[in-house]
Amino acid sequence: MVSRVIPVDPFDLVIFGATGDLARRKILPGLYRRFVAGQIPETSRIIGSARTEMDDPGFRAFVAEAIAEFIDAKKRDAESITRFLDHLRYVAVDAKGDNGWPELAALIRTDVVQAYYFSVAPSLFGDLAERLHRHGIATPEARIVVEKPFGRDLETAKALNATLAAHFAESQIYRIDHYLGKETVQNLMAVRFANILFEPLWNARHVDHVQITVSETVGVGGRGAYYDKSGAMRDMVQNHLMQLLCLIAMEAPYRFDPDAVRDEKLKVIHALQPVVPEDIVRGQYRAGTRNGGGSYAEDVDHRDSRTESYIALKVDIANWRWKGTPFYLRTGKKLRARASEIAVVFKEVPHSIFGDEEGWRENVLAIRLQPNEGMTLSVMIKEPGPGGMRLTEVPLDMSFAEALGEDGADIPDAYERLIMDVIRGNQTLFMRGDEVEAAWAWTDPIIAAWEARGDRPKGYDPGSSGPEDALMLLHRDGRRWREMRE
Ligand code: BG6
């Protein structure tokens, strides 16, 4: 299978925060990969911008290093790197002052797609938006891309939306949730809405429950200061897990169109019920020998921290399709495996004609986000061979990498896909302002309640699958978590 690469229109893409970690690890190497794939027209330019004084050759050397570090040696070559670097420029600007803005204004073309990537601290979003406007740089069609965290609660998210709205229309604002750019996440929509097979079963009558797991083996790394003020609920659930839940739970949009899709997701968020304390388990990793040593408190340098590095919760959706089918979400750091999946666990058959068969299992559709993107549908069959009718469970397993052949091994990173969507002007995989606010409106009271109670997260060992109480969350409902494995 050969995938078609359709070049985007020529563009000027300005990356504010171009010397930062995200630009170095994801944005710039991702652009190189799209360039090599033939998606970036020769007349396009990528303009790095940050406070640091640097000239074009300096920036090119910086990007060359990033490519060497983050792109596999087999996927880069000197000739294409040189051609890519030719597209790069650099302008130093001061987000809070006037330095550099006239130079940027002089460089930017108005007859190509203009995109501005705010890969900076959220406190600078307003300054950048205002200066792009005041210096007459951004055209009415220009796009701005903003990174998470988009606020830390409803109030700050509203303020941020208002700040951006003062200078840009909603149709110009691309709020990134990189989970929406992941191959499997989009495949979820294809599986649901391009096949007749699942829809008749996709409801509370046939689905017993849904499990969404995003488990990481890494700790908080060098982001302790940010993370300790966020925790897993703000860092992962309010955005990434919420988006996954929406894609599983939403109704079919009338068209694969940005607002049609986002309207349906928004309805799901509005239907989310408040979560009671008994349905939440928060955890914090202890010190341990696996996965790197230090406890959470040591990693964030805050001895008495009550922030969770793990959370599991049971969520109910109050609508006709899902009433009575719980969604169990869990995510955490320093866990047993890097394994993210969505599992749709179907109900038992209404009556077993085979009697009480041992080894009987319910059908499960498991969608693996990472690693090894793919899908497995477990079905019951007869155990092969003579000896009567015994049942066994077998997986119908589909690995995207294998199914797509060579193309599958080269699945674009979420950031690559999302940046190309910005240039194309397609907002389907970006969060709309009202969606982010609705997500915070659901999240805020949950966090406020545990803060008011002064709850402490339960300890768990690095390399485990989280605190023991999280097992109980399902056990008491007669269910169990799926094994966390890579
Ligand atoms: C980020 C979170 O949004 O997503 C990180 O801030 C987390 O804490 C990361 O590690 C996970 O992303 P991925 O793509 O590695 O699953």
Side-chain angles (χ1 to χ4, degrees):
M1 204 181 306
V2 177
S3 70
R4 277 175 306 142
V5 172
I6 303 172
V8 293
D9 289 336
F11 61 83
D12 275 353
L13 166 65
V14 179
I15 306 171
F16 293 113
T19 52
D21 203 44
L22 182 70
R24 204 171 65 84
R25 279 186 307 117
K26 296 282 182 188
I27 305 173
L28 292 159
L31 284 163
Y32 169 72
R33 279 168 51 103
R34 290 297 91 208
F35 177 76
V36 173
Q39 205 163 9
I40 298 187
E42 284 299 335
T43 49
S44 300
R45 295 184 313 184
I46 296 156
I47 299 155
S49 189
R51 217 169 36 181
T52 322
E53 289 295 338
M54 212 191 281
D55 54 12
D56 289 350
F59 184 54
R60 288 177 183 148
F62 169 83
V63 176
E65 264 173 41
I67 293 173
E69 189 173 348
F70 295 104
I71 304 267
D72 201 75
K74 285 192 244 77
K75 305 218 164 108
R76 57 180 148 89
D77 62 90
E79 190 263 337
S80 61
I81 295 179
T82 312
R83 281 199 298 121
F84 176 68
L85 296 180
D86 255 5
H87 295 259
L88 304 185
R89 303 277 183 283
Y90 185 86
V91 184
V93 297
D94 182 0
K96 290 205 168 286
D98 285 326
N99 261 357
W101 292 97
E103 288 78 0
L104 186 62
L107 189 60
I108 290 289
R109 297 170 293 174
T110 49
D111 57 348
V112 293
V113 174
Q114 279 187 10
Y116 300 93
Y117 200 127
F118 294 6
S119 179
V120 296
S123 57
L124 297 178
F125 290 173
D127 295 306
L128 292 177
E130 191 266 327
R131 281 171 177 76
L132 281 172
H133 188 79
R134 176 149 53 87
H135 291 274
I137 302 179
T139 62
E141 291 79 37
R143 288 138 210 181
I144 59 169
V145 185
V146 290
E147 267 297 331
K148 73 174 270 254
F150 200 89
R152 65 180 320 272
D153 52 22
L154 178 58
E155 201 189 322
T156 48
K158 273 188 171 166
L160 200 46
N161 274 333
T163 306
L164 298 179
H167 307 290
F168 292 92
E170 181 62 32
S171 59
Q172 297 179 276
I173 304 172
Y174 290 69
R175 295 176 193 78
I176 287 225
D177 182 314
H178 78 281
Y179 266 58
L180 288 177
K182 290 187 190 270
E183 181 72 16
T184 326
V185 175
Q186 292 170 76
N187 237 313
L188 198 56
M189 282 192 272
V191 165
R192 283 198 61 198
F193 303 125
N195 297 285
I196 192 71
L197 209 59
F198 299 109
E199 173 55 23
L201 303 178
W202 211 259
N203 54 52
R205 246 169 307 135
H206 300 290
V207 176
D208 179 69
H209 71 281
V210 175
Q211 296 186 17
I212 303 181
T213 300
V214 177
S215 114
E216 299 183 276
T217 49
V218 292
V220 294
R223 300 159 73 225
Y226 149 78
Y227 193 92
D228 200 40
K229 291 202 170 58
S230 301
M233 186 72 174
R234 287 193 173 94
D235 185 50
M236 296 294 286
V237 176
Q238 185 272 348
N239 37 76
H240 306 325
L241 277 83
M242 171 84 79
Q243 289 296 324
L244 300 180
L245 178 144
C246 284
L247 296 179
I248 290 282
M250 72 184 190
E251 297 301 315
Y254 68 92
R255 204 169 47 208
F256 192 58
D257 151 288
D259 278 329
V261 171
R262 297 184 299 177
D263 286 347
E264 294 305 335
K265 286 197 292 169
L266 185 61
K267 287 184 206 161
V268 175
I269 304 176
H270 284 318
L272 293 179
Q273 292 301 287
V275 184
V276 293
E278 306 78 72
D279 288 346
I280 304 173
V281 177
R282 294 162 66 237
Q284 200 183 76
Y285 59 81
R286 306 187 183 104
T289 44
R290 288 175 65 180
N291 304 22
S295 68
Y296 173 84
E298 284 159 4
D299 284 358
V300 300
D301 199 15
H302 179 187
R303 239 182 61 199
D304 198 34
S305 172
R306 294 186 181 191
T307 304
E308 75 286 354
S309 60
Y310 173 99
I311 188 165
L313 59 174
K314 177 180 173 184
V315 177
D316 287 317
I317 304 174
N319 64 20
W320 278 37
R321 188 186 282 269
W322 293 115
K323 184 74 191 163
T325 295
F327 282 60
Y328 298 98
L329 318 184
R330 63 177 166 166
T331 182
K333 304 240 180 239
K334 285 214 182 178
L335 293 173
R336 170 175 302 160
R338 177 168 188 258
S340 301
E341 69 157 30
I342 300 167
V344 179
V345 181
F346 291 92
K347 289 193 169 165
E348 298 180 5
V349 291
H351 162 68
S352 167
I353 63 166
F354 304 108
D356 288 336
E357 254 293 340
E358 255 188 53
W360 190 90
R361 295 266 183 283
E362 54 293 82
N363 301 123
V364 179
L365 176 68
I367 301 143
R368 287 189 305 277
L369 262 57
Q370 55 198 26
N372 313 324
E373 291 101 328
M375 264 179 4
T376 306
L377 179 63
S378 65
V379 292
M380 297 304 295
I381 61 160
K382 177 190 163 300
E383 207 174 85
M389 182 59 112
R390 276 198 300 270
L391 301 181
T392 187
E393 183 194 30
V394 290
L396 299 180
D397 204 351
M398 205 276 281
S399 139
F400 292 142
E402 282 168 25
L404 301 176
E406 276 187 14
D407 287 349
D410 213 15
I411 294 172
D413 176 73
Y415 278 93
E416 293 173 42
R417 184 188 318 264
L418 293 174
I419 296 170
M420 290 299 101
D421 277 0
V422 172
I423 306 296
R424 281 195 204 97
N426 185 341
Q427 289 184 305
T428 310
L429 299 176
F430 296 83
M431 290 178 300
R432 209 167 54 191
D434 53 358
E435 219 183 312
V436 182
E437 289 183 12
W440 282 122
W442 175 77
T443 312
D444 278 1
I446 301 175
I447 297 177
W450 77 54
E451 281 179 352
R453 287 193 309 270
D455 282 358
R456 284 184 177 279
K458 313 271 188 238
Y460 65 93
D461 288 330
S464 70
S465 50
E468 299 213 334
D469 291 29
L471 301 179
M472 285 313 297
L473 193 65
L474 270 76
H475 278 180
R476 60 164 208 223
D477 294 346
R479 301 177 174 119
R480 61 197 160 88
W481 288 110
R482 285 165 58 80
E483 208 183 312
M484 253 179 214
R485 56 165 185 228
E486 287 188 9

